[in-house]
Amino acid sequence: MKKITICALFLIGFMGFAQKSTGVVTLNANMATTLSLDQNTSLVTLTLSGPNDRWFALQFGSFSGGMEPGADVVYWNGSILVDAKHNGIGVAPTPDPTNNWTQVSNLNNTPSAGLRTLVYTRPFNTGDANDYVFNYADATIDLAYAEMNSATFVLQYHGGPPNRDVYLNVPLTDLSVDDFSLNATEIYPNPSNGSFAIKTKTNLEKVTIYSQTGSLIKTIEVNDFSETVELSVNGLQSGIYLIELQNKTDKSWKKIIVN
């Protein structure tokens, strides 16, 4: 596995590192998303987190407002991420005949009333008229989100802000080879109730959690040098905590928010 990883890094360097990402976009206290575009594979990866006990949705593309008729949208229905099309304000989205999103992971962070993180991928251009066509040359993308204001998966009126909002012209930033470091680590969902997933682009050996005042909370040894680690700090008081990420050659600090 180590040899494969090293070969892959040399291959990326030879071909040119062609990836863009929105980075983690915090939508509200419960929801966050990341869209990453890979020009070499023509695949987009969507990471979307939201409340586990109700539907939540993300609209993406080029638009002027949320819930626009014909806009591409996905929503969590309690089982899968549904590929759908908006029909306008006050009308439930219509699921596409074909769901072109492929599940990568589906992490239930807590058994009930917690946060779920979904990771799905699909081609830039699926050939489906209902799907937005991602263009790698674009410098920005528009996002809109909604989540139900109570525990239900019935698609109905969700209430006003903070249960919905629109983010126009979210930057799609070019990633460089320098991002193959612990500094490029993604932690999601953030905020959460204490369960996080840590995703790096390099080996991770140790995770140490500190309070804002520097008190040691917890140390986790990553024995398999994984690039993805599930972390639980349930029982901590609400607040901001510092995470130190380490391997043999690198160290980085991140913040996590516990609700």
Side-chain angles (χ1 to χ4, degrees):
M1 183 62 69
K2 299 292 183 182
K3 292 181 180 179
I4 293 174
T5 302
I6 293 171
C7 289
L9 289 174
F10 277 108
L11 180 61
I12 290 172
F14 178 78
M15 294 173 60
F17 190 72
Q19 291 191 2
K20 283 184 172 182
S21 176
T22 60
V24 178
V25 180
T26 301
L27 303 171
N28 65 12
N30 296 320
M31 292 186 62
T33 191
T34 302
L35 279 167
S36 300
L37 280 62
D38 189 325
Q39 189 178 40
N40 292 328
T41 61
S42 294
L43 290 176
V44 57
T45 299
L46 168 65
T47 303
L48 179 63
S49 59
N52 188 50
D53 62 351
R54 66 199 66 190
W55 65 260
F56 54 91
L58 182 74
Q59 176 184 307
F60 47 86
S62 179
F63 46 80
S64 58
M67 296 183 286
E68 291 186 354
D72 201 354
V73 64
V74 292
Y75 64 89
W76 163 247
N77 71 353
S79 299
I80 63 169
L81 187 72
V82 179
D83 193 358
K85 180 181 71 173
H86 261 314
N87 292 310
I89 296 174
V91 183
T94 302
D96 293 351
T98 301
N99 190 336
N100 290 298
W101 288 96
T102 300
Q103 179 180 305
V104 176
S105 69
N106 186 331
L107 177 63
N108 182 0
N109 297 303
T110 56
S112 63
L115 297 175
R116 178 172 293 270
T117 297
L118 312 168
V119 182
Y120 278 72
T121 188
R122 79 158 172 84
F124 289 175
N125 187 350
T126 65
D128 188 332
N130 294 317
D131 288 341
Y132 173 71
V133 178
F134 290 91
N135 183 357
Y136 189 82
D138 288 345
T140 63
I141 190 168
D142 298 332
L143 304 175
Y145 78 89
E147 66 164 307
M148 189 57 190
N149 56 9
S150 60
T152 179
F153 292 102
V154 177
L155 295 177
Q156 55 187 333
Y157 180 60
H158 44 69
N163 295 316
R164 55 123 176 116
D165 209 342
V166 178
Y167 290 78
L168 300 180
N169 300 316
V170 176
L172 283 165
T173 303
D174 286 299
L175 303 179
S176 67
V177 174
D178 292 337
D179 284 316
F180 279 93
S181 67
L182 289 176
N183 191 51
T185 299
E186 295 183 24
I187 300 178
Y188 57 87
N190 193 12
S192 88
N193 63 351
S195 294
F196 299 86
I198 302 174
K199 183 178 180 181
T200 74
K201 296 179 181 179
T202 185
N203 293 335
L204 182 61
E205 296 184 10
K206 186 166 71 171
V207 179
T208 309
I209 305 171
Y210 297 90
S211 70
Q212 281 192 293
T213 60
S215 298
L216 176 64
I217 303 296
K218 187 175 185 179
T219 298
I220 301 98
E221 300 287 344
V222 184
N223 296 322
D224 59 355
F225 307 109
S226 177
E227 295 179 7
T228 302
V229 176
E230 294 182 17
L231 173 65
S232 178
V233 286
N234 293 322
L236 288 181
Q237 293 182 346
S238 298
I240 299 174
Y241 294 85
L242 304 177
I243 290 187
E244 183 185 37
L245 308 170
Q246 287 182 271
N247 61 22
K248 290 181 179 178
T249 60
D250 200 3
K251 180 186 292 187
S252 182
W253 290 86
K254 299 290 182 181
K255 289 184 180 180
I256 59 172
I257 302 174
V258 176
N259 287 331

PDB file of all heavy atoms in Angstrom, residues 150-172:
ATOM      1  N   SER A 150     -37.852  20.386  11.988  1.00  0.00           N
ATOM      2  CA  SER A 150     -38.265  19.393  12.981  1.00  0.00           C
ATOM      3  C   SER A 150     -37.835  18.017  12.487  1.00  0.00           C
ATOM      4  O   SER A 150     -37.431  17.849  11.335  1.00  0.00           O
ATOM      5  CB  SER A 150     -39.782  19.425  13.205  1.00  0.00           C
ATOM      6  OG  SER A 150     -40.471  19.140  12.010  1.00  0.00           O
ATOM      7  N   ALA A 151     -37.930  17.033  13.355  1.00  0.00           N
ATOM      8  CA  ALA A 151     -37.441  15.694  13.036  1.00  0.00           C
ATOM      9  C   ALA A 151     -38.427  14.953  12.135  1.00  0.00           C
ATOM     10  O   ALA A 151     -39.328  14.259  12.618  1.00  0.00           O
ATOM     11  CB  ALA A 151     -37.187  14.908  14.314  1.00  0.00           C
ATOM     12  N   THR A 152     -38.246  15.085  10.817  1.00  0.00           N
ATOM     13  CA  THR A 152     -39.078  14.374   9.852  1.00  0.00           C
ATOM     14  C   THR A 152     -38.356  14.344   8.505  1.00  0.00           C
ATOM     15  O   THR A 152     -37.545  15.227   8.201  1.00  0.00           O
ATOM     16  CB  THR A 152     -40.451  15.049   9.681  1.00  0.00           C
ATOM     17  OG1 THR A 152     -41.215  14.310   8.711  1.00  0.00           O
ATOM     18  CG2 THR A 152     -40.308  16.486   9.209  1.00  0.00           C
ATOM     19  N   PHE A 153     -38.671  13.316   7.725  1.00  0.00           N
ATOM     20  CA  PHE A 153     -38.131  13.221   6.368  1.00  0.00           C
ATOM     21  C   PHE A 153     -39.201  13.528   5.323  1.00  0.00           C
ATOM     22  O   PHE A 153     -38.971  13.342   4.129  1.00  0.00           O
ATOM     23  CB  PHE A 153     -37.527  11.824   6.140  1.00  0.00           C
ATOM     24  CG  PHE A 153     -36.292  11.597   6.964  1.00  0.00           C
ATOM     25  CD1 PHE A 153     -36.351  10.834   8.118  1.00  0.00           C
ATOM     26  CD2 PHE A 153     -35.078  12.165   6.613  1.00  0.00           C
ATOM     27  CE1 PHE A 153     -35.225  10.637   8.895  1.00  0.00           C
ATOM     28  CE2 PHE A 153     -33.952  11.972   7.386  1.00  0.00           C
ATOM     29  CZ  PHE A 153     -34.023  11.205   8.529  1.00  0.00           C
ATOM     30  N   VAL A 154     -40.344  14.021   5.774  1.00  0.00           N
ATOM     31  CA  VAL A 154     -41.388  14.471   4.858  1.00  0.00           C
ATOM     32  C   VAL A 154     -40.979  15.821   4.290  1.00  0.00           C
ATOM     33  O   VAL A 154     -40.699  16.759   5.045  1.00  0.00           O
ATOM     34  CB  VAL A 154     -42.745  14.572   5.572  1.00  0.00           C
ATOM     35  CG1 VAL A 154     -43.805  15.105   4.611  1.00  0.00           C
ATOM     36  CG2 VAL A 154     -43.153  13.219   6.130  1.00  0.00           C
ATOM     37  N   LEU A 155     -40.958  15.943   2.971  1.00  0.00           N
ATOM     38  CA  LEU A 155     -40.561  17.191   2.337  1.00  0.00           C
ATOM     39  C   LEU A 155     -41.692  18.202   2.462  1.00  0.00           C
ATOM     40  O   LEU A 155     -42.743  18.061   1.846  1.00  0.00           O
ATOM     41  CB  LEU A 155     -40.214  16.955   0.858  1.00  0.00           C
ATOM     42  CG  LEU A 155     -39.004  16.063   0.587  1.00  0.00           C
ATOM     43  CD1 LEU A 155     -38.821  15.856  -0.910  1.00  0.00           C
ATOM     44  CD2 LEU A 155     -37.744  16.659   1.190  1.00  0.00           C
ATOM     45  N   GLN A 156     -41.451  19.212   3.275  1.00  0.00           N
ATOM     46  CA  GLN A 156     -42.438  20.251   3.499  1.00  0.00           C
ATOM     47  C   GLN A 156     -41.720  21.524   3.904  1.00  0.00           C
ATOM     48  O   GLN A 156     -40.493  21.550   3.979  1.00  0.00           O
ATOM     49  CB  GLN A 156     -43.432  19.819   4.577  1.00  0.00           C
ATOM     50  CG  GLN A 156     -42.796  19.414   5.884  1.00  0.00           C
ATOM     51  CD  GLN A 156     -43.794  18.832   6.864  1.00  0.00           C
ATOM     52  OE1 GLN A 156     -44.969  19.146   6.835  1.00  0.00           O
ATOM     53  NE2 GLN A 156     -43.328  17.967   7.751  1.00  0.00           N
ATOM     54  N   TYR A 157     -42.477  22.595   4.151  1.00  0.00           N
ATOM     55  CA  TYR A 157     -41.870  23.886   4.452  1.00  0.00           C
ATOM     56  C   TYR A 157     -40.931  23.776   5.653  1.00  0.00           C
ATOM     57  O   TYR A 157     -41.295  23.245   6.697  1.00  0.00           O
ATOM     58  CB  TYR A 157     -42.941  24.938   4.731  1.00  0.00           C
ATOM     59  CG  TYR A 157     -42.362  26.302   5.045  1.00  0.00           C
ATOM     60  CD1 TYR A 157     -41.557  26.960   4.119  1.00  0.00           C
ATOM     61  CD2 TYR A 157     -42.604  26.910   6.267  1.00  0.00           C
ATOM     62  CE1 TYR A 157     -41.011  28.203   4.393  1.00  0.00           C
ATOM     63  CE2 TYR A 157     -42.062  28.171   6.562  1.00  0.00           C
ATOM     64  CZ  TYR A 157     -41.269  28.807   5.617  1.00  0.00           C
ATOM     65  OH  TYR A 157     -40.733  30.040   5.906  1.00  0.00           O
ATOM     66  N   HIS A 158     -39.735  24.328   5.477  1.00  0.00           N
ATOM     67  CA  HIS A 158     -38.663  24.159   6.452  1.00  0.00           C
ATOM     68  C   HIS A 158     -38.467  25.349   7.372  1.00  0.00           C
ATOM     69  O   HIS A 158     -37.661  25.277   8.305  1.00  0.00           O
ATOM     70  CB  HIS A 158     -37.344  23.907   5.709  1.00  0.00           C
ATOM     71  CG  HIS A 158     -37.145  24.810   4.536  1.00  0.00           C
ATOM     72  ND1 HIS A 158     -36.917  26.153   4.640  1.00  0.00           N
ATOM     73  CD2 HIS A 158     -37.197  24.544   3.198  1.00  0.00           C
ATOM     74  CE1 HIS A 158     -36.797  26.684   3.436  1.00  0.00           C
ATOM     75  NE2 HIS A 158     -36.964  25.735   2.540  1.00  0.00           N
ATOM     76  N   GLY A 159     -39.170  26.446   7.107  1.00  0.00           N
ATOM     77  CA  GLY A 159     -38.958  27.638   7.915  1.00  0.00           C
ATOM     78  C   GLY A 159     -37.865  28.514   7.332  1.00  0.00           C
ATOM     79  O   GLY A 159     -37.133  28.118   6.414  1.00  0.00           O
ATOM     80  N   GLY A 160     -37.738  29.717   7.865  1.00  0.00           N
ATOM     81  CA  GLY A 160     -36.757  30.669   7.359  1.00  0.00           C
ATOM     82  C   GLY A 160     -35.382  30.448   7.943  1.00  0.00           C
ATOM     83  O   GLY A 160     -35.103  29.428   8.568  1.00  0.00           O
ATOM     84  N   PRO A 161     -34.473  31.435   7.732  1.00  0.00           N
ATOM     85  CA  PRO A 161     -33.123  31.330   8.300  1.00  0.00           C
ATOM     86  C   PRO A 161     -33.181  31.080   9.803  1.00  0.00           C
ATOM     87  O   PRO A 161     -34.075  31.612  10.471  1.00  0.00           O
ATOM     88  CB  PRO A 161     -32.513  32.707   7.987  1.00  0.00           C
ATOM     89  CG  PRO A 161     -33.287  33.200   6.809  1.00  0.00           C
ATOM     90  CD  PRO A 161     -34.689  32.684   7.006  1.00  0.00           C
ATOM     91  N   PRO A 162     -32.297  30.232  10.361  1.00  0.00           N
ATOM     92  CA  PRO A 162     -31.120  29.639   9.721  1.00  0.00           C
ATOM     93  C   PRO A 162     -31.374  28.304   9.038  1.00  0.00           C
ATOM     94  O   PRO A 162     -30.425  27.562   8.766  1.00  0.00           O
ATOM     95  CB  PRO A 162     -30.174  29.457  10.907  1.00  0.00           C
ATOM     96  CG  PRO A 162     -31.104  29.088  12.033  1.00  0.00           C
ATOM     97  CD  PRO A 162     -32.344  29.928  11.822  1.00  0.00           C
ATOM     98  N   ASN A 163     -32.641  27.967   8.776  1.00  0.00           N
ATOM     99  CA  ASN A 163     -32.941  26.685   8.133  1.00  0.00           C
ATOM    100  C   ASN A 163     -32.755  26.713   6.622  1.00  0.00           C
ATOM    101  O   ASN A 163     -32.920  25.686   5.961  1.00  0.00           O
ATOM    102  CB  ASN A 163     -34.371  26.249   8.465  1.00  0.00           C
ATOM    103  CG  ASN A 163     -34.539  25.957   9.933  1.00  0.00           C
ATOM    104  OD1 ASN A 163     -33.696  25.316  10.540  1.00  0.00           O
ATOM    105  ND2 ASN A 163     -35.614  26.455  10.524  1.00  0.00           N
ATOM    106  N   ARG A 164     -32.442  27.854   6.066  1.00  0.00           N
ATOM    107  CA  ARG A 164     -32.147  27.947   4.635  1.00  0.00           C
ATOM    108  C   ARG A 164     -31.378  29.228   4.370  1.00  0.00           C
ATOM    109  O   ARG A 164     -31.465  30.198   5.114  1.00  0.00           O
ATOM    110  CB  ARG A 164     -33.425  27.943   3.808  1.00  0.00           C
ATOM    111  CG  ARG A 164     -34.413  29.038   4.216  1.00  0.00           C
ATOM    112  CD  ARG A 164     -34.764  29.929   3.054  1.00  0.00           C
ATOM    113  NE  ARG A 164     -35.775  30.912   3.461  1.00  0.00           N
ATOM    114  CZ  ARG A 164     -35.550  32.201   3.487  1.00  0.00           C
ATOM    115  NH1 ARG A 164     -34.369  32.686   3.162  1.00  0.00           N
ATOM    116  NH2 ARG A 164     -36.498  33.050   3.848  1.00  0.00           N
ATOM    117  N   ASP A 165     -30.560  29.189   3.306  1.00  0.00           N
ATOM    118  CA  ASP A 165     -29.826  30.383   2.892  1.00  0.00           C
ATOM    119  C   ASP A 165     -29.177  30.112   1.542  1.00  0.00           C
ATOM    120  O   ASP A 165     -29.160  28.962   1.056  1.00  0.00           O
ATOM    121  CB  ASP A 165     -28.756  30.768   3.915  1.00  0.00           C
ATOM    122  CG  ASP A 165     -28.487  32.272   3.929  1.00  0.00           C
ATOM    123  OD1 ASP A 165     -28.857  32.949   2.939  1.00  0.00           O
ATOM    124  OD2 ASP A 165     -27.924  32.769   4.916  1.00  0.00           O
ATOM    125  N   VAL A 166     -28.637  31.176   0.941  1.00  0.00           N
ATOM    126  CA  VAL A 166     -27.999  31.110  -0.368  1.00  0.00           C
ATOM    127  C   VAL A 166     -26.590  31.674  -0.255  1.00  0.00           C
ATOM    128  O   VAL A 166     -26.378  32.712   0.375  1.00  0.00           O
ATOM    129  CB  VAL A 166     -28.800  31.910  -1.418  1.00  0.00           C
ATOM    130  CG1 VAL A 166     -28.099  31.865  -2.774  1.00  0.00           C
ATOM    131  CG2 VAL A 166     -30.220  31.371  -1.531  1.00  0.00           C
ATOM    132  N   TYR A 167     -25.622  30.982  -0.848  1.00  0.00           N
ATOM    133  CA  TYR A 167     -24.237  31.436  -0.896  1.00  0.00           C
ATOM    134  C   TYR A 167     -23.837  31.560  -2.365  1.00  0.00           C
ATOM    135  O   TYR A 167     -23.637  30.554  -3.046  1.00  0.00           O
ATOM    136  CB  TYR A 167     -23.307  30.449  -0.192  1.00  0.00           C
ATOM    137  CG  TYR A 167     -23.473  30.408   1.307  1.00  0.00           C
ATOM    138  CD1 TYR A 167     -24.539  29.721   1.897  1.00  0.00           C
ATOM    139  CD2 TYR A 167     -22.573  31.056   2.138  1.00  0.00           C
ATOM    140  CE1 TYR A 167     -24.691  29.690   3.271  1.00  0.00           C
ATOM    141  CE2 TYR A 167     -22.709  31.029   3.519  1.00  0.00           C
ATOM    142  CZ  TYR A 167     -23.774  30.343   4.073  1.00  0.00           C
ATOM    143  OH  TYR A 167     -23.926  30.320   5.442  1.00  0.00           O
ATOM    144  N   LEU A 168     -23.738  32.783  -2.857  1.00  0.00           N
ATOM    145  CA  LEU A 168     -23.389  33.017  -4.256  1.00  0.00           C
ATOM    146  C   LEU A 168     -21.883  33.225  -4.408  1.00  0.00           C
ATOM    147  O   LEU A 168     -21.220  33.761  -3.519  1.00  0.00           O
ATOM    148  CB  LEU A 168     -24.141  34.233  -4.795  1.00  0.00           C
ATOM    149  CG  LEU A 168     -25.669  34.150  -4.754  1.00  0.00           C
ATOM    150  CD1 LEU A 168     -26.281  35.434  -5.316  1.00  0.00           C
ATOM    151  CD2 LEU A 168     -26.183  32.937  -5.518  1.00  0.00           C
ATOM    152  N   ASN A 169     -21.359  32.772  -5.551  1.00  0.00           N
ATOM    153  CA  ASN A 169     -19.947  32.984  -5.907  1.00  0.00           C
ATOM    154  C   ASN A 169     -18.976  32.437  -4.860  1.00  0.00           C
ATOM    155  O   ASN A 169     -18.015  33.106  -4.455  1.00  0.00           O
ATOM    156  CB  ASN A 169     -19.672  34.477  -6.138  1.00  0.00           C
ATOM    157  CG  ASN A 169     -20.523  35.057  -7.256  1.00  0.00           C
ATOM    158  OD1 ASN A 169     -20.672  34.448  -8.311  1.00  0.00           O
ATOM    159  ND2 ASN A 169     -21.101  36.231  -7.025  1.00  0.00           N
ATOM    160  N   VAL A 170     -19.216  31.203  -4.429  1.00  0.00           N
ATOM    161  CA  VAL A 170     -18.280  30.528  -3.530  1.00  0.00           C
ATOM    162  C   VAL A 170     -17.019  30.174  -4.328  1.00  0.00           C
ATOM    163  O   VAL A 170     -17.113  29.515  -5.374  1.00  0.00           O
ATOM    164  CB  VAL A 170     -18.911  29.262  -2.941  1.00  0.00           C
ATOM    165  CG1 VAL A 170     -17.896  28.507  -2.086  1.00  0.00           C
ATOM    166  CG2 VAL A 170     -20.151  29.611  -2.133  1.00  0.00           C
ATOM    167  N   PRO A 171     -15.830  30.585  -3.904  1.00  0.00           N
ATOM    168  CA  PRO A 171     -14.614  30.343  -4.694  1.00  0.00           C
ATOM    169  C   PRO A 171     -14.290  28.857  -4.835  1.00  0.00           C
ATOM    170  O   PRO A 171     -14.422  28.085  -3.885  1.00  0.00           O
ATOM    171  CB  PRO A 171     -13.522  31.066  -3.892  1.00  0.00           C
ATOM    172  CG  PRO A 171     -14.243  32.041  -3.038  1.00  0.00           C
ATOM    173  CD  PRO A 171     -15.565  31.402  -2.705  1.00  0.00           C
ATOM    174  N   LEU A 172     -13.876  28.477  -6.034  1.00  0.00           N
ATOM    175  CA  LEU A 172     -13.302  27.161  -6.291  1.00  0.00           C
ATOM    176  C   LEU A 172     -11.794  27.369  -6.396  1.00  0.00           C
ATOM    177  O   LEU A 172     -11.292  27.919  -7.380  1.00  0.00           O
ATOM    178  CB  LEU A 172     -13.855  26.557  -7.575  1.00  0.00           C
ATOM    179  CG  LEU A 172     -15.257  25.966  -7.489  1.00  0.00           C
ATOM    180  CD1 LEU A 172     -15.844  25.735  -8.884  1.00  0.00           C
ATOM    181  CD2 LEU A 172     -15.242  24.654  -6.708  1.00  0.00           C
TER     182      LEU A 172
END
